[in-house]
Structures are given as structure tokens and as C-alpha cells.
């Protein structure tokens, strides 16, 4: 069987810079021969994303602005992609956001607005994006989202984002059930802690990484490239029997009690 992604097109949402997990996914899919389409939320990220993509040898990438808080923006983006390339074969959703003040202290203090914002960007967006993308997956396809252990159990400071990830995990499963009949598989990768722009400003991130190095079965943290290679597996025919699944790429940390 041929697991090359030659002749296949994938949409990557959520590259902010070279440390982004989305960039790890982009490099893995590129290495497998895929054509890539990048979306960014804010126009200030257009040039950095274009500059990064230009480093991928022979990649003829496309770029679209897409703020996932707007249904109209999501629909317009996929209408435009349909016009420009026609069929796509998959999508990587690497998007999350919560207000800084909701990522510390007690979860019980989360405001209604903060709760809704985190869920809007980090969980509902997968519904909006999947609905708009599915009609373009005329040959079947794969959708992958990024989640974290803090959605399965309580992790200090993750707070409202943990509740949003729990919603994202369930959202992924309901979407997998809906879209399976169209040959579209929907899965999640639960990544271990990786230093990215989102993780910046998190107090004690060094201590979080050190704890993984001391306790995780593999005694080390994971890389963007390792998450990227699992995304490649989930977006290729290698995983053709897998949907509605959460794969932990976390050095085994989640098995610990
Ligand atoms: P990055 O900061 O690199 O990426 C976060 C991305 O979210 C940015 O590219 C940002 O886009 C995008 N985003 C935020 N708001 C919006 C919006 N309204 N519309 C569209 N895009 C938006 O961090 P990571 O690579 O760490 O995060 C990617 C995913 O991985 C997230 O879901 C995160 O929760 C998850 N994850 C991360 C872990 C880690 O340790 N780093 C561990 C487990 C999961 P823009 O740059 O254009 O603003
Ligand atoms: C327990 C962990 C420690 C960190 C606690 C919370 C982390 C939440 C992740 C969330 C996505 C971060 C933000 O929303 C940051 C945001 O408030 C400010 N940053 C930005 O606006 C930057 C510029 C943009 C690019 O960021 C976004 N997101 O748009 C969790 C650790 C151990 C694992 C992590 C980091 C998990 C995760 O989900 O990212």
C-alpha cells in the first residue's frame, strides 16, 4: 500500500510561528508529498506564515485569513478554497484561546464571557470548520484536532481551557459519527506540554516540562515533529480504520495515576 500524500491537499489552521504544533504537522505532511493550505486568524500573521511556508522545498502553498469566531469568515474561506483547488483531503485544527486571567487562580472564578470565549474559539470552531470543509472532501478525508490531558482530568491553571478541551473531545466524537458516512474521519491528538507561543507567559512552564522529564515513561518531553508524524498517520490511509479516537503523544504521561 502507498502511504504517500502526493496529489493530496490539506488545510492547516493555527500556524503562528515555527514553534507552533501546526507547523510540526505542516512539515510532516510536506515531507510525505502533500500540498498545503494555511489559514491564520490575524493578518499580522500572514507574512510570518508565508515566510515559513517558503522554506518548504517545492511547496506551492495557498494562504487565507480565517478568524474562526466568524461563521461567515469560515464559510468564505472554504468557498474560496473550493474555487481555488476544488477537492481537499483533510484538515488540521490547531486552534485554542482563553483570556489570560482565566488561566490562573480558581476555575470557580471564571466569568461567563471568558467561559464562552474559550469554548467558542477552542471547541465550537471545530464544528464550524468541519461543516464547511466536509463538502470539499469529495474523495473522503481526515480531520485532526489538538487536545490536552487537562480536558480529561484537573490540571493546575488549565482551568477553563480544560473544560473547553473536554467539550472539544466530545465534539470530535459526535463529528466522527456524523461525518463517517461521507468517508471523513475525525480524530484528536492529545499532546504533552510543548513550549509554543500559547505556552508563553505560563508561569512555571519549565517546572511543567521538568515534571514530564522525571515522571513520563519515556522520561522526556515530546516535540512538534512527533505530533506532526502522528497527524500524518491520522490524515493518511495508514489510519483508515480509525475515527473518533484520541491518541496521546505525550511520552506516555497520561497512563500515570
Ligand atoms: P500556537 O500559539 O503556536 O498556536 C495557537 C493558534 O491558535 C495560533 O496560530 C492562533 O492563530 C490560533 N487562534 C487563536 N484564536 C484564533 C481565532 N479566533 N481564529 C483562528 N485561529 C486562532 O500554540 P500551539 O501550537 O501550542 O497550539 C495549537 C493547539 O495545540 C491548541 O489547540 C493547543 O490547545 C493545543 N495543545 C498545545 C499544547 C502545548 O503544550 N503547546 C499541548 C496540548 C495541546 P494566530 O496566530 O493567527 O492568532
Ligand atoms: C496546564 C498548562 C499550563 C498553561 C495553562 C494554560 C494554557 C492554556 C493554553 C491557551 C491556548 C493559551 C492562551 O490562550 C494564551 C492567550 O491567553 C495569550 N496568548 C496569545 O494571544 C498568543 C499571542 C496567541 C498566538 O495564542 C493563541 N492561543 O491564540 C497547560 C500546558 C502544560 C500545555 C498547553 C500549553 C496546552 C495548550 O492547550 O496549549
Amino acid at each position: 500500500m502507498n502511504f504517500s500524500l502526493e496529489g493530496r491537499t490539506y488545510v492547516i489552521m493555527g500556524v503562528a510561528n515555527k514553534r507552533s504544533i501546526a507547523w510540526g504537522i505542516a512539515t510532516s505532511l510536506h515531507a510525505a508529498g502533500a500540498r498545503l493550505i494555511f489559514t491564520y486568524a490575524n493578518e499580522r500573521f500572514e507574512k510570518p506564515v508565508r515566510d515559513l511556508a517558503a522554506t518548504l522545498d517545492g511547496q506551492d502553498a495557498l494562504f487565507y485569513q480565517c478568524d474562526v469566531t466568524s461563521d461567515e469568515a469560515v464559510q468564505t474561506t472554504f468557498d474560496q478554497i473550493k474555487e481555488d483547488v476544488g477537492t481537499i483531503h483533510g484538515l488540521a485544527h490547531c486552534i485554542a484561546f482563553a483570556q489570560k486571567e482565566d488561566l490562573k487562580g480558581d476555575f470557580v472564578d471564571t466569568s461567563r464571557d471568558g467561559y464562552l470565549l474559550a469554548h467558542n474559539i477552542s471547541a465550537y470552531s471545530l464544528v464550524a470548520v468541519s461543516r464547511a470543509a466536509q463538502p470539499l472532501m469529495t474523495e473522503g478525508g481526515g480531520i485532526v484536532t489538538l487536545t490536552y490531558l487537562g480536558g480529561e482530568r484537573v490540571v493546575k491553571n488549565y482551568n477553563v481551557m480544560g473544560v473547553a478541551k473536554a467539550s472539544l473531545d466530545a465534539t470530535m466524537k459526535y463529528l466522527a459519527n456524523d461525518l463517517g458516512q461521507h468517508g471523513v474521519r475525525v480524530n484528536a491528538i492529545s499532546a504533552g506540554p510543548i513550549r509554543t507561543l500559547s505556552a508563553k507567559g505560563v508561569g512555571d512552564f519549565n517546572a511543567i516540562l521538568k515534571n514530564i522529564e522525571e515522571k513520563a515513561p519515556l522520561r522526556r518531553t515530546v516535540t512538534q515533529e512527533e505530533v506532526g508524524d502522528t497527524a500524518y498517520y491520522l490524515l493518511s490511509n495508514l489510519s483508515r480504520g480509525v475515527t473518533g479516537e484520541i491518541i496521546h503523544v505525550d511520552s506516555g504521561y497520561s497512563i500515570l495515576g
Side-chain angles (χ1 to χ4, degrees), residues 13-17 19-23 39-45 49 66-69 93-97 121-122 145-149 158 161 165 168 189-199 205 224:
M13 310 185 80
V15 176
N17 59 30
R19 287 176 179 267
S20 293
I21 293 175
W23 182 245
T39 74
Y40 47 88
N42 190 305
E43 59 194 333
R44 82 191 152 105
F45 284 101
V49 173
C66 182
D67 180 337
V68 297
T69 57
H93 170 278
C94 315
I95 292 171
F97 186 87
I121 298 181
S122 316
T145 188
L146 264 300
T147 189
Y148 178 62
L149 187 63
Y158 204 57
M161 187 53 69
K165 289 301 191 191
L168 179 72
I189 298 173
S190 181
I194 298 176
R195 192 183 294 284
T196 62
L197 193 52
S198 279
F205 202 70
Q224 288 86 339

Side-chain angles (χ1 to χ4, degrees), residues 86-140:
T87 295
I88 63 168
H89 301 86
L91 174 109
H93 170 278
C94 315
I95 292 171
F97 186 87
Q99 296 175 154
K100 266 204 164 76
E101 61 262 36
D102 293 327
L103 298 170
K104 59 182 182 216
D106 288 348
F107 168 71
V108 72
D109 292 327
T110 307
S111 67
R112 189 181 298 271
D113 282 353
Y115 186 99
L116 292 176
L117 178 72
H119 284 69
N120 187 11
I121 298 181
S122 316
Y124 182 76
S125 62
L126 185 66
V127 183
V129 159
S130 298
R131 188 166 59 234
Q134 181 268 314
L136 279 66
M137 298 191 201
T138 52
E139 299 167 10

Side-chain angles (χ1 to χ4, degrees), residues 135-207:
L136 279 66
M137 298 191 201
T138 52
E139 299 167 10
I143 296 174
V144 166
T145 188
L146 264 300
T147 189
Y148 178 62
L149 187 63
E152 298 174 58
R153 49 175 107 141
V154 174
V155 173
K156 190 175 168 215
N157 292 333
Y158 204 57
N159 294 7
V160 73
M161 187 53 69
V163 182
K165 289 301 191 191
S167 169
L168 179 72
D169 294 354
T171 295
M172 177 278 292
K173 293 176 191 176
Y174 276 87
L175 289 171
N177 188 48
D178 284 352
L179 303 191
Q181 61 193 311
H182 303 291
V184 175
R185 298 183 292 104
V186 190
N187 292 287
I189 298 173
S190 181
I194 298 176
R195 192 183 294 284
T196 62
L197 193 52
S198 279
K200 211 173 164 172
V202 170
D204 268 357
F205 202 70
N206 281 339

Side-chain angles (χ1 to χ4, degrees), residues 31-85:
R35 183 178 192 198
L36 302 178
I37 295 174
F38 294 93
T39 74
Y40 47 88
N42 190 305
E43 59 194 333
R44 82 191 152 105
F45 284 101
E46 176 172 358
K47 186 170 164 15
V49 173
R50 282 184 182 271
D51 289 349
L52 265 181
T55 66
L56 298 174
D57 258 7
Q59 179 60 244
D60 182 22
L62 291 171
F63 307 87
Y64 303 88
Q65 184 176 356
C66 182
D67 180 337
V68 297
T69 57
S70 158
D71 282 334
E72 198 191 338
V74 170
Q75 196 53 54
T76 305
T77 299
F78 285 90
D79 286 348
Q80 196 60 53
I81 291 173
K82 186 175 180 190
E83 205 173 306
D84 295 343
V85 305

